[in-house]
Structure formats: structure tokens, C-alpha cells
Amino acid sequence: MKNMGEMNNTGKNPFQIFQDEFPELAGRFNDLVDAQRSLKGMDPKTKQLVNIAIQTANHNPIGVKMHAQMAKNQGASRDEILGAVVMNLHLSGLSTVLDCLPSALEGLGSVEE
């Protein structure tokens, strides 16, 4: 599976291809994401940590990396981000955690200190 920052043979990341090929659908998807971000009840950092846990449970290292970057930008610590991945250990198993932990670290490393 490619990492979020990796380009494929078109030179674009997969989400950019989605936006280029299906602009109306991508726009509606972005509207949904904006609506979810505006939900009350959790602060932005907590929402990103929950997203990391969900992406880990879904075996999606690309999503883990992307949300790790966003969580760090929202003030999440390294321990909080990695903790969101490893909390899946008893729920999703060791292989899921091992698949996603490197992506969380990549996401942390790709954000400017």
C-alpha cells in the first residue's frame, strides 16, 4: 500500500487523482468531511485521534499517516498519536497495529517541528 506522500505512476497522490477525475463527487465528499468536522462534542485534536484509531481498525495505513499529520497539527503529542494506534491491539490484533504503527510515525515525522 502506498503512503499518503508517495506518488504513483501519474505523479499524483490517490486523493488528488480522485479530485481530478471526479471533481463533483470529490466536492460533495469534501462537504461531508466539513460537516463532520463541525460536529460539536469533541475538540479537533480528539476527532483526529479517534480517526487514527478508526483508520487502524480499518487496516488503512494511508489514513493513519494522514490523520497522524492532522492530529499533530491540532496539538496531539507523539504518545497520544501512537496510543490511538496501539489501543486497537486487543480489538484488531497485533498485525493491524504493526501494519499501522510505521505510518503513524511517518505522519509524525512529515510535520514540521
Side-chain angles (χ1 to χ4, degrees):
M1 200 170 236
K2 288 192 175 295
N3 293 320
M4 194 64 177
E6 281 186 40
M7 300 300 165
N8 55 30
N9 58 5
T10 65
K12 297 179 182 175
N13 73 42
F15 191 73
Q16 185 63 51
I17 293 169
F18 173 61
Q19 290 180 320
D20 291 347
E21 296 296 325
F22 300 96
E24 185 177 331
L25 184 59
R28 290 180 184 212
F29 176 81
N30 289 333
D31 290 343
L32 173 63
V33 171
D34 288 341
Q36 288 176 303
R37 280 190 187 127
S38 68
L39 291 173
K40 296 184 181 356
M42 283 189 277
D43 62 89
K45 179 180 89 170
T46 302
K47 287 178 185 179
Q48 291 306 322
L49 293 170
V50 168
N51 278 324
I52 292 167
I54 291 169
Q55 295 300 329
T56 300
N58 286 334
H59 305 267
N60 185 0
I62 293 171
V64 170
K65 180 180 177 181
M66 180 182 75
H67 288 285
Q69 292 168 346
M70 290 188 274
K72 186 170 182 184
N73 287 336
Q74 291 295 333
S77 69
R78 182 180 194 275
D79 288 343
E80 289 172 319
I81 291 168
L82 298 180
V85 173
V86 299
M87 80 184 269
N88 275 278
L89 183 60
H90 73 287
L91 300 168
S92 302
L94 182 60
S95 66
T96 300
V97 170
L98 295 179
D99 285 344
C100 292
L101 214 64
S103 296
L105 289 168
E106 285 179 37
L108 279 165
S110 63
V111 177
E112 298 277 327
E113 294 292 333

